[in-house]
Amino acid sequence: MVRRRLGFWRRFAVMTVKPAIQVLTRRTWRGMEHIPAEGGVIIVVNHISHADPLTVAHYIYDAGRWPSFLAKSSLFEVPVLGYLLKAVHQIPVRRGTTDAVKALEAAREGVRAGEAVVIYPEGTTSREPDLWPMRGKTGAARLWLDTRAPVIPIVMWGPERIYDPRTKKLKLFPRAMITIQTGEPMDLSAWADAQPTAQTLGEITEHIMLHLRDMLAEIRGGTPPPLWTPKRPTERSEEQAA
């Protein structure tokens, strides 16, 4: 069990984060048995709030694994927080730069070393008006093609009640009900012999995002829309000009 090998800073993080999440939330957790007890694994998660990394970290930890997130590099530049993130083995990502390649290399090394690497395929909190999943980035697909490690899907609903990215409002009480569901390892056998071409990466990424979307529909209800595509800056400028 991972708890016996935490070290000082990981124990400090657990003692800081876990009690806070327990106070602020009520939890319905399902499917923990689908997270392998050991060995390298790629965990893909939908992203609906700045509060959800803490809730899903709590969930994965209680499932017996230590989560290593690919996180925005700006978080690592915050005094104290940045030091703590590095100390507990999180992975900074600078999107759109050569350092993004380094982040993927670090993730690949982590998976091959038997770690549970957590990726938000969307790369940011959902911009879809009702917080359904958006189209994803190709990082998770690249990592799977490099390692062929199990890809474990996790979806959640409820962290947006703590912090809603649409209104940017923080609400700590009443306690938010958080539902987290893990699915079985994803079947990516259709790409077993595929090369990492743009088409292949796009197909795998869409498969992952559609799977997360459909899992999310099971826990929040309703009919999910097509994967949402963020508008490019030029498109927004044209609309404003019109």
Side-chain angles (χ1 to χ4, degrees):
M1 182 68 75
V2 68
R3 293 161 180 73
R4 294 197 293 266
R5 306 190 300 274
L6 291 181
F8 174 79
W9 285 113
R10 293 188 184 187
R11 289 188 184 279
F12 175 79
V14 170
M15 292 189 310
T16 302
V17 172
K18 187 172 178 177
I21 296 300
Q22 289 174 325
V23 168
L24 295 174
T25 68
R26 294 176 294 135
R27 296 163 300 282
T28 299
W29 285 354
R30 306 167 184 153
M32 280 184 173
E33 68 275 10
H34 297 310
I35 299 177
E38 58 185 15
V41 63
I42 303 164
I43 298 177
V44 291
V45 191
N46 69 311
H47 200 0
I48 54 177
S49 168
H50 296 313
D52 66 50
L54 298 180
T55 56
V56 77
H58 181 189
Y59 173 91
I60 294 170
Y61 173 78
D62 273 24
R65 300 300 301 265
W66 184 263
S68 292
F69 286 80
L70 268 71
K72 290 183 178 180
S73 61
S74 58
L75 296 175
F76 292 77
E77 297 167 3
V78 177
V80 181
L81 176 61
Y83 179 85
L84 180 59
L85 288 174
K86 293 176 183 177
V88 298
H89 202 210
Q90 306 306 300
I91 304 169
V93 179
R94 291 179 174 83
R95 294 197 180 279
T97 70
T98 55
D99 286 340
V101 176
K102 295 180 182 178
L104 193 60
E105 291 175 355
R108 182 167 55 241
E109 291 173 3
V111 170
R112 288 175 175 167
E115 298 179 5
V117 173
V118 184
I119 297 181
Y120 288 110
E122 295 160 283
T124 187
T125 53
S126 178
R127 302 293 191 261
E128 200 278 334
D130 292 322
L131 300 180
W132 289 99
M134 306 186 295
R135 292 194 178 279
K137 311 291 185 181
T138 60
R142 291 179 185 276
L143 187 57
W144 177 74
L145 285 170
D146 283 346
T147 64
R148 305 298 169 134
V151 176
I152 308 298
I154 294 181
V155 293
M156 72 187 86
W157 189 242
E160 77 288 348
R161 298 186 179 105
I162 301 173
Y163 180 84
D164 193 322
R166 299 164 296 187
T167 63
K168 302 188 185 304
K169 290 184 178 180
L170 180 67
K171 186 177 181 181
L172 300 181
F173 298 101
R175 297 166 72 193
M177 171 58 77
I178 309 293
T179 301
I180 301 181
Q181 172 76 51
T182 299
E184 295 181 358
M186 293 187 63
D187 180 8
L188 300 176
S189 59
W191 299 277
D193 300 317
Q195 297 300 311
T197 63
Q199 179 177 340
T200 296
L201 292 169
E203 290 173 355
I204 296 172
T205 301
E206 177 137 339
H207 181 76
I208 289 172
M209 296 312 304
L210 288 172
H211 192 82
L212 292 176
R213 183 201 65 179
D214 293 345
M215 283 181 59
L216 182 60
E218 292 178 6
I219 65 173
R220 66 176 282 189
T223 301
L227 291 177
W228 194 74
T229 303
K231 292 181 179 179
R232 295 171 297 183
T234 54
E235 291 175 335
R236 288 195 291 266
S237 298
E238 288 170 1
E239 286 185 357
Q240 292 167 358

